Amino acid sequence: MKALVLSGGGSKGSYQIGVWKALRKLHIKFDIVTGTSVGALNGALVTQKSYHRAIQLWKKINLSVLFGENVTNSTDDIKVMKMYGKEFVKNGGMEAKELEKLIEKEINYKKFIKSNINYGLVTYNLTTRKPIQITKKEIPKDLIGDYLMASASCYPAFKQKEIEGNKYIDGGFFDNLPINLAIQMGADEIIAVDLSAPGFNKKPKKQVPTIRIKPNNKLTNFLNFYEDGAKRNIKLGYNDTMKKFGKLEGNKYTFKKKALEKNKKKHLGTFEYILKNILNNEKALENLQKILKLSNAPSEKMIEKIGLKIMEDIAKDLNLDETIIYSERKFNKQLLKELKRQDTKQTKQLTEFIEQIKENKKGLKRKFILNPWEFLKALYLYTISEV
């Protein structure tokens, strides 16, 4: 049986909706879903097969729902954390009643119970000091919403959740990525979405084929909820999942299938030829390897190995949108556009290097040795600008 395991992670949970979008496109279905905290909430939506409801829910979850009219600017993480701190000092944590109302509207308990997907969540009973791993069949029907909120009660940011006289806190205090629960429920194949958020991850007690999906890029602060952040997280979740299954390419940036091979044929051959001429040495690539302190690799693979890193480092320097799926042409065009548009110390240095390469000035080898990575980035920009 195949299981989807969803970790906790607060606002980062919107990333899991992007993962779900990709898995739907790949026609991957599940027999079991387990989740902790926000993963438990998302997992309930997966179980009832309400993808579009999940999208709508994440559009509505924001700081105004939690803090009302006194909300601060969501782009300032420090101010947001201070708000949570004030709530803890004043009230023992954030009251999540409005959030509960939102979730009550989106969780269809009838569909959830009747679904052919089995479901389990993790929470922690603070009263008995025992972890609770509970499945769909074991949760009383009238307490489903309470247990979902119990799993997601990220104490001390949120108040403890009380159920039948017991106080519960976030399941991440026991197991933030409930792979073991999925195995106990019969999973023999797992896709685990790990948001790398605060919490404890239990080591699997049994070896089961597992595909792990983790964010390649920085997501929103786990306690900062806002619509634009959720939209970005969803896009990144989709991109990372499609890359994990070989349908897209890249690392921090995302490229269409075969775009990197096309870029290699179109640009990296020229890049390598110019670099060898600058270094003026038959063992140029081996020397490059030492200078950049890269792990051993055949010299003929060296440019291919560093090509993507050069591309993505330039993109990061020039603040290219990480959520876009790029073709080779669109990516390189955007790099050159931003290089021309931006006026920073780094773009000025890159432009200076490019002009020196273009004019084939003396001393290029020395400049490379003094500042190898910036020089390689400039060489790449020169190469794509000459086509």
Side-chain angles (χ1 to χ4, degrees):
M1 290 195 290
K2 184 174 290 184
L4 176 65
V5 178
L6 302 174
S7 84
S11 72
K12 298 175 189 286
S14 47
Y15 176 92
Q16 294 172 344
I17 306 304
V19 174
W20 186 12
K21 178 182 178 181
L23 296 176
R24 280 163 52 90
K25 186 167 185 176
L26 295 168
H27 304 291
I28 296 174
K29 297 182 179 181
F30 303 95
D31 306 293
I32 298 165
V33 175
T34 63
T36 296
S37 193
V38 74
L41 299 177
N42 286 334
L45 291 162
V46 174
T47 300
Q48 71 183 43
K49 304 174 185 178
S50 297
Y51 169 75
H52 296 291
R53 278 182 175 267
I55 294 290
Q56 291 306 311
L57 177 61
W58 277 101
K59 285 182 179 179
K60 296 172 185 175
I61 298 176
N62 55 51
L63 292 175
S64 296
V65 171
L66 299 174
F67 292 96
E69 296 178 355
N70 297 322
V71 68
T72 190
N73 187 345
S74 62
T75 60
D76 192 327
D77 286 341
I78 294 176
K79 288 184 178 179
V80 170
M81 297 302 284
K82 284 181 178 178
M83 282 198 308
Y84 281 103
K86 287 179 182 178
E87 282 296 322
F88 176 72
V89 172
K90 185 178 179 182
N91 300 312
M94 172 57 57
E95 185 68 68
K97 285 185 178 179
E98 292 303 315
L99 180 59
E100 285 192 53
K101 288 179 183 178
L102 270 182
I103 292 167
E104 285 281 348
K105 288 180 181 179
E106 301 303 334
I107 300 295
N108 184 320
Y109 298 115
K110 193 172 182 180
K111 284 178 68 176
F112 173 77
I113 292 167
K114 289 188 174 182
S115 171
N116 62 346
I117 300 174
N118 199 2
Y119 171 86
L121 64 77
V122 180
T123 184
Y124 190 85
N125 188 324
L126 196 59
T127 304
T128 63
R129 301 201 177 259
K130 290 182 179 180
I132 303 296
Q133 298 184 93
I134 191 167
T135 65
K136 183 168 67 172
K137 292 179 181 178
E138 297 166 334
I139 303 173
K141 292 181 182 179
D142 59 333
L143 295 178
I144 293 172
D146 291 306
Y147 272 96
L148 289 175
M149 289 306 301
S151 181
S153 294
C154 184
Y155 185 80
F158 289 85
K159 283 186 175 180
Q160 303 157 13
K161 176 67 179 177
E162 186 169 333
I163 304 175
E164 298 181 328
N166 288 318
K167 294 194 180 287
Y168 293 83
I169 57 174
D170 196 292
F173 282 87
F174 173 69
D175 190 356
N176 205 40
L177 186 65
I179 291 174
N180 283 321
L181 176 57
I183 294 171
Q184 289 170 25
M185 294 169 67
D188 51 23
E189 189 178 351
I190 290 170
I191 294 176
V193 187
D194 184 358
L195 297 174
S196 301
F200 300 98
N201 288 4
K202 296 289 185 182
K203 186 177 179 180
K205 295 179 180 179
K206 180 181 176 183
Q207 292 300 316
V208 171
T210 301
I211 295 172
R212 289 180 179 258
I213 299 171
K214 296 181 72 172
N216 289 325
N217 305 77
K218 185 178 180 181
L219 304 181
T220 50
N221 179 295
F222 78 106
L223 288 175
N224 196 351
F225 296 83
Y226 57 103
E227 186 177 348
D228 286 345
K231 286 179 179 178
R232 179 178 178 274
N233 290 350
I234 289 170
K235 289 178 181 178
L236 292 173
Y238 175 85
N239 292 352
D240 286 347
T241 305
M242 296 301 278
K243 283 184 276 191
K244 178 65 74 170
F245 285 90
K247 302 300 180 181
L248 294 172
E249 302 175 332
N251 183 20
K252 291 187 178 297
Y253 287 83
T254 306
F255 302 88
K256 292 180 178 179
K257 186 74 172 174
K258 297 185 178 179
L260 296 178
E261 181 64 25
K262 184 177 180 181
N263 194 65
K264 176 187 172 184
K265 290 179 180 178
K266 193 172 181 181
H267 299 296
L268 293 187
T270 304
F271 175 94
E272 181 176 355
Y273 175 78
I274 297 172
L275 181 60
K276 284 182 176 178
N277 282 341
I278 291 172
L279 298 182
N280 192 26
N281 190 319
E282 289 184 2
K283 294 186 177 181
L285 297 183
E286 287 88 340
N287 291 336
L288 170 63
Q289 194 171 23
K290 293 176 183 177
I291 291 170
L292 298 178
K293 298 179 181 179
L294 297 170
S295 58
N296 291 329
S299 60
E300 63 271 16
K301 293 285 186 179
M302 179 55 57
I303 297 303
E304 182 179 342
K305 183 175 181 180
I306 65 173
L308 177 61
K309 180 168 173 52
I310 292 171
M311 293 165 66
E312 294 195 329
D313 274 14
I314 300 170
K316 184 178 180 181
D317 291 342
L318 299 177
N319 297 312
L320 261 64
D321 190 338
E322 296 171 327
T323 68
I324 292 175
I325 299 172
Y326 293 95
S327 65
E328 166 269 333
R329 184 175 179 275
K330 183 177 181 179
F331 181 79
N332 289 329
K333 184 178 179 181
Q334 193 64 32
L335 288 183
L336 295 175
K337 180 181 177 181
E338 290 300 320
L339 178 68
K340 186 176 180 180
R341 186 185 68 82
Q342 295 181 29
D343 184 21
T344 66
K345 182 178 179 180
Q346 186 167 37
T347 56
K348 287 177 181 177
Q349 182 184 48
L350 287 170
T351 302
E352 181 183 335
F353 277 164
I354 290 168
E355 288 301 316
Q356 291 171 348
I357 295 168
K358 188 174 184 179
E359 296 171 13
N360 197 21
K361 287 191 173 181
K362 292 182 179 180
L364 289 178
K365 182 176 179 180
R366 182 173 179 274
K367 287 183 179 294
F368 168 77
I369 292 171
L370 290 174
N371 203 344
W373 199 248
E374 289 302 306
F375 191 89
L376 287 174
K377 289 192 282 189
L379 178 56
Y380 180 82
L381 289 166
Y382 168 74
T383 303
I384 62 174
S385 69
E386 290 299 297
V387 175

